[in-house]
């Protein structure tokens, strides 16, 4: 890779890269995103490699392992370009057939494309798959197209064009103005206006300033930032370089949790490439602008996603938040002015400058501009990553893109914004998803996690799960968060095990109010959301647990009674063998019986019963 | 000196720039309860007892007065219903954490709380994790021998790796500053035991009373460049 010395040199190099590429050339793009990788996408790519060799196609067909293709539920995904044929659930065995039928024969392996679950109609091309139809990919745009380890790939698709424009045709002031006009709000949680944050930081006098990329995604079920870091690392870098130029920073940090080793590897490679190429370092493209980036690994504490805690962690201190003000933009890393944005925010920046702030602002709602990436998980058919314009409704995301709830069950709630988000019930399915609407119903955008729940979820248990997660992840620095979560968890444990009392509900609300009002940082302030929203929208479930000692969703085991249906029992004795306390017995070759006094309600009998004879019933109380 | 004018409980006052809301309130004679605050230590806003309500209705929020700077034109309520609710609940939570801590009992009683509605995990717990000891060791003594370790549920103040710390000079400042007297230390037969380490005490060359651990005097000598013997005479005999 040459060292790029000037703007003209960059333009020339990009021209050469493009000239070497034939847009009509056959490409096989194997997804190596967070969903497909554990399903064996590396082996699938390897198999393609071997098959291409066997058929003498190497050199003619381009094979790439790319970032996330989005539709993780149907991995391993393979995309053929330029035809845009989208194959799903591809296994090693399918590879020879794809090569034979599609690459050699020019046909389609129909069994490997998406089929409409109702009509059975195939959707051969990517654009015909409903999952992709309502999307407006901006941040995810290049993920299924480029090899994340190749700078040439990024350049070929127009990468670092924004950098050139910014360094030579714009002043820092103009860059900030553009970001302000775009209306971009931070994609990490609170949704603060990015342009305003940059301006605040630029206005602080001083030569030394920092930019930080927050890649400490730690929400259960969320992998948006991971997919971007792994799939399009140069976009993050380019955004940061632009931001650094705008505020006058010379050093940047990318903070990634060490649970994301592939993201660390890809980002490190990208930084190394950009440095060798001359896009990082001193006097970038002879513009007089110096900037470099370091990768900083976190040890995976949820609280370190909070910006002041993250800064403390980079400094080598305990990852605990500090009270604000001073805000990081005024006094951040090593007490110097610092702009900290999350991965998705940075990745939006090149596109905003490139396409223009007005174009970006034309997407989304009045106060939430642009698009948002969501990780759609839980009880939904098409789990994966979606990117939609702000203001897309929950119903569109869950039912149109997500394909609805599996097993013909009913939608019950969706948790947005990670563990400290709220559970939104079905009467709000038509809610347009943006920062303010979510807040109105007691939830948050957070970084974009979306956990769908059906009627098999007990909302009291769901609240208990999130509070338990937050209790263990709270740094414990301030009293309301540390002790409030401890007491909330203790009450929720009581309720889900049948020890709940009437006064518990009001008491929880009291704790929640104090936590929301008086906690030190965003974690504590939002930690009460799961309890407050489930109390508000699913109060009858709490009451059933407390008053009737029943769990309507049949989840809380201490509140269940296991009995055997004598009509259905075949006396296979599987449950008898499984029962750890010997509570199940009966005459030979006849229906068995559970001794309720001995039963510890572990549920193992129910799990092993093949005849559905062990029926979960509501509690005897 | 530049001054900023702000409203505390409806009363307009001017304070020097750089004052915190707590200092401004004290200037006015308004009492705000504090627990983890100490004028000689940097404030960290841990205990949340000193919260006050700022802003104009309906856009108000609680901030900790020990770190929030006095801003020109800011409206501050130190004893609004929202503030009192948060303080009472925080004290009730602390009372459940450390039911025997005298200072918590007293502060809670002042707000009309005599018993917590919450169960205590450990009725003998006294540490309220206010962090005064850690900050004193770091900021005043300057040795950072102790720090907070772990997150919830197991968060505690301790030496590195829970082992006797080489950095500790046995000065006992941490135990002295602790508002709940939870840091144990024993002094007998010319020895002081603290944080699992035994320190040899030095006698005054003149009166023969114990002055301080040798490690502490050596630390002083290192700081000042004086020979350590310089400190072998107690303050009373100098």
């Amino acid at each position: 890779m040459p060292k790029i010395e000037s703007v003209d040199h960059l333009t020339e190099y990009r021209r050469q890269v493009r000239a070497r590429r034939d847009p009509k050339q056959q490409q096989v793009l194997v997804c190596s995103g967070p969903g497909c990788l554990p399903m064996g996408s590396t082996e699938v790519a390897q198999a393609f490699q071997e098959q291409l060799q066997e058929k003498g196609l190497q050199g003619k067909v381009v094979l790439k392992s790319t970032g996330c293709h989005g539709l993780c539920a149907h991995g391993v995904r393979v995309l053929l370009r330029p035809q845009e044929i989208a194959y799903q659930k591809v296994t090693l065995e399918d590879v020879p057939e794809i090569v034979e039928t599609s690459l050699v024969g020019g046909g389609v392996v129909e069994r490997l494309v998406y089929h409409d679950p109702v009509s059975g109609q195939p959707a051969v091309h990517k654009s015909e798959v409903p999952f992709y139809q309502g999307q407006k990919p901006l941040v995810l745009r290049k993920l299924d197209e480029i090899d994340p380890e190749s700078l040439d790939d990024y350049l070929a698709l127009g990468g670092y064009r924004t950098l050139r424009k910014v360094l030579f045709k714009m002043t820092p002031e103009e860059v900030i103005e553009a970001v302000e006009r775009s209306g971009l709000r931070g994609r990490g949680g609170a949704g603060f206006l990015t342009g305003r944050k940059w301006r605040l930081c630029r206005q602080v006098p001083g030569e030394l300033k920092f930019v930080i990329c927050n890649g400490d995604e730690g929400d259960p079920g969320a992998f948006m930032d991971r997919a971007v870091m792994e799939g399009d690392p140069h976009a993050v870098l380019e955004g940061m370089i632009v931001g650094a130029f705008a505020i006058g920073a010379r050093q940047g940090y990318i903070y990634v949790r060490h649970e994301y080793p592939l993201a660390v590897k890809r980002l490190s490679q990208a930084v190394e490439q950009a440095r060798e190429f001359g896009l990082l370092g001193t006097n970038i493209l002879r513009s007089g602008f110096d900037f470099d980036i370091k990768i900083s690994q976190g040890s995976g504490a949820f609280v370190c996603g909070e910006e002041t805690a993250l800064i403390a962690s980079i400094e080598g201190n305990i990852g605990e938040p500090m009270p604000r003000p001073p805000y990081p933009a005024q006094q951040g890393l090593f007490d110097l002015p610092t702009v900290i944005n999350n991965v998705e925010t940075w990745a939006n920046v090149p596109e905003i400058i490139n396409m223009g702030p007005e174009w970006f602002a034309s997407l989304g709602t009045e106060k939430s501009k642009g698009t948002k990436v969501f990780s759609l998980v839980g009880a939904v058919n098409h789990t994966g990553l979606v990117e939609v314009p702000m203001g897309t409704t929950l119903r569109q995301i869950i039912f149109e893109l997500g394909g609805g709830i599996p097993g013909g069950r009913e939608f019950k709630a969706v948790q947005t914004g990670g563990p400290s988000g709220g559970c939104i019930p079905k009467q709000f399915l038509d809610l347009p998803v943006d920062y303010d609407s979510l807040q109105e119903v007691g939830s948050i955008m957070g970084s974009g996690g979306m956990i769908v729940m059906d009627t098999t979820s007990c909302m009291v248990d769901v609240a208990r799960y999130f509070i338990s997660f937050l209790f263990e992840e709270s740094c414990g620095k301030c009293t309301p968060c540390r002790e409030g979560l401890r007491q909330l968890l203790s009450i929720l444990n009581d309720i889900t095990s049948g020890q709940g009392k009437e006064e518990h509900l009001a008491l929880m609300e009291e704790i929640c109010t104090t936590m929301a009002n008086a906690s030190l940082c965003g974690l504590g302030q939002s930690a009460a959301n799961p309890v407050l929203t489930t109390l508000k929208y699913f109060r009858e479930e709490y009451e059933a647990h407390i008053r009737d000692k029943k769990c309507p969703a049949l989840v809380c085991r201490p509140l269940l009674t296991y009995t055997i249906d004598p009509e259905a029992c075949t006396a296979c004795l599987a449950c008898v063998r499984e029962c750890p306390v010997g509570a199940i017995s009966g005459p030979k070759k006849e229906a068995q019986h559970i001794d309720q006094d001995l039963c510890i309600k572990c549920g193992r009998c129910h799990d092993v019963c093949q005849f559905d004879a062990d029926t979960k019933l509501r509690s005897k109380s | 000196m530049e001054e900023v004018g702000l409203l505390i409980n409806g009363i307009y006052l001017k304070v020097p720039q750089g004052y915190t809301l707590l200092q401004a309130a004290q200037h006015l004679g308004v009492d705000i309860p504090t627990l983890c605050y100490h004028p000689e230590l940097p404030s960290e806003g841990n205990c949340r007892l000193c919260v006050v309500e700022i802003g104009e209705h309906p856009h108000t929020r609680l901030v900790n007065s020990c770190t929030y700077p006095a801003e020109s034109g800011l409206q501050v309520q130190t004893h609004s219903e929202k503030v009192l609710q948060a303080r009472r609940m925080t004290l009730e939570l602390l009372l459940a954490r450390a039911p025997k801590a005298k200072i918590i009992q007293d502060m809670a009683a002042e707000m009309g709380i005599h018993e917590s509605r919450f169960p205590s995990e450990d009725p003998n717990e006294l540490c309220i994790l206010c962090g005064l000891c850690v900050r004193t060791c770091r900021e005043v003594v300057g040795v950072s021998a102790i720090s907070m370790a772990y997150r919830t549920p197991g968060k505690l103040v301790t030496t590195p790796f829970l082992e006797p710390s080489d950095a500790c000079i046995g000065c006992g400042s941490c135990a002295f500053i602790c508002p709940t007297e939870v840091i144990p230390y024993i002094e007998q037969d010319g020895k002081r035991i603290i944080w699992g380490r035994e320190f040899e005490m030095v006698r005054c060359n003149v009166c023969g009373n114990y002055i301080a651990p040798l490690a502490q005097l050596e630390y002083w000598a290192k700081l000042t460049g004086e020979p350590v013997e310089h400190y072998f005479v107690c303050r009373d005999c100098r």
Side-chain angles (χ1 to χ4, degrees), chain A residues 51-280:
Chain A
Q51 279 293 311
L52 292 180
Q53 214 154 3
E54 213 167 279
K55 303 279 175 192
L57 287 171
Q58 84 261 54
K60 290 180 192 148
V61 175
V62 175
L63 172 70
K64 273 181 205 171
S65 285
T66 69
C68 181
H69 291 198
L71 189 43
C72 308
H74 301 236
V76 174
R77 302 197 60 81
V78 174
L79 187 64
L80 301 188
R81 279 178 191 259
Q83 309 92 313
E84 297 280 332
I85 298 171
Y87 287 128
Q88 58 182 31
K89 298 185 180 171
V90 176
T91 61
L92 284 178
E93 290 73 41
D94 300 325
V95 173
E97 191 178 348
I98 293 175
V99 172
E100 191 57 48
T101 310
S102 297
L103 302 186
V104 178
V108 175
V109 185
E110 213 171 277
R111 65 179 180 87
L112 292 176
V113 300
Y114 179 85
H115 285 76
D116 186 279
V118 182
S119 67
Q121 282 295 310
V124 174
H125 303 103
K126 190 185 159 189
S127 59
E128 293 154 11
V129 180
F131 177 81
Y132 294 108
Q133 276 173 344
Q135 296 200 44
K136 177 85 192 164
L138 208 95
V139 170
L140 303 181
R141 187 172 58 92
K142 303 190 288 298
L143 252 60
D144 65 4
E145 214 174 324
I146 60 174
D147 171 357
E149 304 193 3
S150 161
L151 175 56
D152 281 358
D153 266 23
Y154 185 69
L155 288 168
L157 285 175
Y160 289 111
R161 212 165 38 186
T162 300
L163 179 65
R164 193 185 64 174
K165 184 171 169 183
V166 164
L167 290 185
F168 295 97
K169 294 193 177 134
M170 293 174 87
T171 63
E173 187 61 31
E174 284 168 346
V175 177
I176 292 180
E177 244 180 64
V179 177
E180 277 176 340
R181 279 212 309 277
S182 75
L184 176 67
R185 294 170 70 170
R187 300 298 194 235
F192 192 78
L193 285 161
T194 306
R196 189 183 293 171
K197 192 191 269 186
W198 290 17
R199 184 174 292 285
L200 275 174
C201 189
R202 176 161 182 81
Q203 282 166 350
V204 182
E207 283 292 296
L208 281 172
K209 290 175 188 177
F210 296 108
V211 290
I212 297 177
C213 171
N214 180 349
D216 190 63
E217 182 174 62
D219 314 18
F223 54 102
M224 308 60 67
D225 290 349
R226 175 179 169 186
V228 174
M229 290 186 284
E230 289 180 4
D232 195 4
H234 280 288
V236 181
L237 264 49
E238 189 172 4
M240 289 177 74
I241 305 173
V242 171
F245 174 77
I247 67 154
R250 278 188 255 166
Q251 182 65 51
Y253 287 83
I254 305 178
Y255 186 87
V256 197
R257 50 174 50 215
H258 86 297
E259 284 95 329
Y260 286 179
L262 190 58
V264 172
K265 180 184 157 213
R266 297 253 167 93
L267 286 165
S268 308
Q269 271 177 347
V271 166
E272 200 53 48
Q273 285 168 349
R275 212 179 273 150
E276 268 179 43
F277 199 61
L279 299 173
L280 282 176

Side-chain angles (χ1 to χ4, degrees), chain A residues 271-350:
Chain A
V271 166
E272 200 53 48
Q273 285 168 349
R275 212 179 273 150
E276 268 179 43
F277 199 61
L279 299 173
L280 282 176
T282 48
N283 199 7
I284 296 169
L285 300 177
R286 272 197 245 139
S287 64
F289 173 61
D290 306 338
F291 179 67
D292 211 336
I293 292 176
K294 279 184 193 158
I295 313 281
S296 186
Q297 285 193 58
S299 56
F302 183 68
V303 70
C304 286
E306 200 280 339
E307 56 182 10
T308 57
L310 187 152
I311 286 171
S313 179
I314 295 184
E315 287 171 346
N317 297 316
I318 300 177
E320 288 182 354
M322 288 296 282
R324 296 172 296 181
Y327 293 92
Q330 308 164 299
Q331 197 181 324
L333 186 63
F334 304 117
D335 290 334
L336 292 163
T338 303
V339 158
I340 171 161
N341 285 129
N342 98 321
V343 173
E344 192 184 334
T345 317
W346 286 121
N348 263 301
V349 169

Side-chain angles (χ1 to χ4, degrees), chain A residues 492-604:
Chain A
L492 288 165
N493 277 336
D494 279 354
I495 297 178
T496 51
S497 62
Q499 316 292 315
K501 298 190 187 113
E502 292 281 335
E503 63 265 28
H504 274 159
L505 301 186
L507 193 55
M508 282 204 291
E509 276 166 337
E510 248 187 87
I511 305 173
C512 290
T513 310
T514 301
M515 285 173 60
N517 288 337
S519 289
L520 173 60
C521 80
L523 191 157
Q525 286 159 10
S526 57
N529 287 336
V531 176
L532 285 174
T533 49
T534 49
L535 270 174
K536 188 169 171 191
Y537 302 124
F538 300 95
R539 199 174 192 91
E540 70 286 352
E541 285 194 39
Y542 280 93
E543 287 165 352
H545 282 74
I546 294 171
R547 234 172 266 160
D548 314 329
K549 308 289 175 209
K550 287 178 181 175
C551 175
L554 305 182
V555 171
C556 301
R557 284 186 163 168
L559 300 182
L560 305 180
T561 303
Y562 293 89
T563 55
I564 293 172
D565 176 2
E567 299 292 308
C569 183
T570 61
C572 72
L573 304 189
C575 59
V576 176
R577 282 191 291 271
E578 193 65 23
C579 180
V581 291
I584 308 177
S585 62
K588 265 187 190 173
K589 296 186 182 172
E590 279 178 43
Q592 302 293 299
H593 171 78
I594 302 179
D595 183 340
Q596 298 298 337
D597 291 337
L598 290 176
C599 174
I600 55 164
K601 299 175 182 183
C602 67
R604 277 152 76 170

Side-chain angles (χ1 to χ4, degrees), chain A residues 320 471 475 477 486 510 518, chain B residues 46 48 117 121 152 155:
Chain A
E320 288 182 354
F471 176 54
C475 76
K477 178 171 178 166
R486 180 194 304 276
E510 248 187 87
Chain B
N46 300 352
R48 316 305 288 171
R117 287 169 288 175
E121 206 136 290
T152 55
K155 192 178 179 86

